[in-house]
Amino acid sequence: MSPPRSPLAGMALVAFGAIGFGLMPLFARIAYAEGLPPLSLLSWRFGIATLCLLPFLGSMIAAKREMLVATLSGAGYMGINLFYFLALERLTVGLTVLILFTYPLFTILIGWLGFKERLTWQNALAALLVLAAAILILSPAGFGDGTLDWVGIGMAFVPPAAYALFVHVAAKRLSRMAIPVRLGGVFLGGLIAMLVLGMIMDGGIRNPASMAGWGAVVALALLSTVVALGLLLIGAPAAGAERTAIAGASELVTALMVGAIAFGERMDIRMIGGTILILVAILLAAQSPAATHNQPHAN
């Protein structure tokens, strides 16, 4: 697949990739019900994804330095995601997920302060709309009993900040690499991080115990990793980091639909309103002046 040159095409790829990420709760719940622990599931996820790129092994070996950068990027980001699960042990799901969806704001701030990128009102407003949508959608879940766990809150803010930085790395540094090298490095990095964490925290990696478990693992690896992360890494350089973060909010919309369709979870007026806000945010970011005439540059 040739990398897109149009920022709007890049946003479209990222949004479609985010749909794959939004399917993760479906596959994860099936795997958990079959007795597979999270770190084992994630190890199999990245292991199968890495195997899918074996036909490109020669080109990946030839690009040793680029593979190292991509692998370290993948291992760092995927490993830091552990803080998300640690935060879930201390905070409510609603508050943890709400903090996660601050990542568009982090992406814009890192681009503005760290990379001296232009701050457009469209991108800033779009990021605020995503945050407002998350608050609207997640408010029924509740945010706890009023006692603030500052350690848990600190842990919860690590993943969105790390993802925002990863988006900038994908849009700037990884964009110089051939597509198989980008994907292979990130998948391999994720595999290494999950194997190490699985050995340390769970004492080893378990295999799926049933056909349903294997089916969930394979679907997670193919749809929510090879396809989803692949579209993100391909589309991000053209879309730019800020628009990538905003387009990625379609993950939340997909997750809500999965909950309603697959698990019978209620889709009330607040969820519908939040979905509309996210769609407006994506359209607003697409109209940003940078989306029409500025291509992301390599730093």
Side-chain angles (χ1 to χ4, degrees):
M1 180 177 183
S2 300
R5 295 185 178 275
S6 163
L8 296 182
M11 279 191 73
L13 289 180
V14 171
F16 280 118
I19 292 174
F21 290 131
L23 293 172
M24 287 195 297
L26 172 63
F27 306 137
R29 281 196 180 186
I30 294 173
Y32 295 158
E34 297 299 318
L36 196 63
L39 287 172
S40 293
L41 172 62
L42 294 173
S43 296
W44 279 109
R45 173 194 182 189
F46 289 110
I48 294 172
T50 302
L51 288 176
C52 289
L53 294 177
L54 280 181
F56 305 99
L57 183 61
S59 61
M60 289 189 285
I61 293 176
K64 295 179 182 177
R65 183 175 178 181
E66 293 179 329
M67 270 294 291
L68 178 61
V69 172
T71 301
L72 290 175
S73 300
Y77 169 61
M78 302 305 172
I80 284 173
N81 266 344
L82 173 64
F83 283 97
Y84 177 77
F85 296 97
L86 294 176
L88 282 173
E89 294 179 344
R90 307 177 69 106
L91 306 175
T92 65
V93 172
L95 180 56
T96 306
V97 176
L98 171 61
I99 292 174
L100 177 65
F101 273 85
T102 61
Y103 72 81
L105 292 174
F106 276 106
T107 305
I108 288 175
L109 288 174
I110 289 173
W112 181 38
L113 299 175
F115 295 98
K116 309 302 180 185
E117 294 180 351
R118 179 184 179 189
L119 178 63
T120 67
W121 70 265
Q122 289 95 335
N123 283 343
L125 180 56
L128 291 174
L129 285 176
V130 170
L131 182 60
I135 294 172
L136 185 63
I137 291 169
L138 296 169
S139 57
F143 300 111
D145 58 5
T147 303
L148 294 180
D149 183 336
W150 290 108
V151 173
I153 290 173
M155 289 178 176
F157 270 107
V158 173
Y163 180 67
L165 182 58
F166 178 75
V167 166
H168 279 284
V169 171
K172 298 175 175 67
R173 182 65 179 89
L174 300 186
S175 63
R176 305 173 186 176
M177 305 175 186
I179 291 174
V181 176
R182 288 183 226 173
L183 299 182
V186 172
F187 293 165
L188 180 60
L191 174 60
I192 293 171
M194 293 306 111
L195 286 175
V196 171
L197 291 172
M199 293 294 181
I200 294 174
M201 301 184 67
D202 294 343
I205 303 301
R206 293 173 56 181
N207 299 330
S210 65
M211 290 301 296
W214 276 111
V217 166
V218 172
L220 183 69
L222 297 182
L223 295 178
S224 298
T225 309
V226 175
V227 173
L229 195 53
L231 291 176
L232 167 67
L233 293 175
I234 293 169
E242 291 81 3
R243 292 185 296 278
T244 292
I246 293 164
S250 57
E251 173 187 349
L252 183 56
V253 177
T254 305
L256 289 172
M257 294 180 66
V258 166
I261 296 172
F263 302 110
E265 296 177 357
R266 189 161 160 257
M267 191 83 169
D268 60 20
I269 189 65
R270 286 171 292 214
M271 295 181 181
I272 295 173
T275 300
I276 293 172
L277 285 179
I278 288 175
L279 295 176
V280 171
I282 293 173
L283 292 175
L284 187 62
Q287 298 302 314
S288 170
T292 58
H293 54 76
N294 286 346
Q295 290 289 340
H297 54 278
N299 290 340

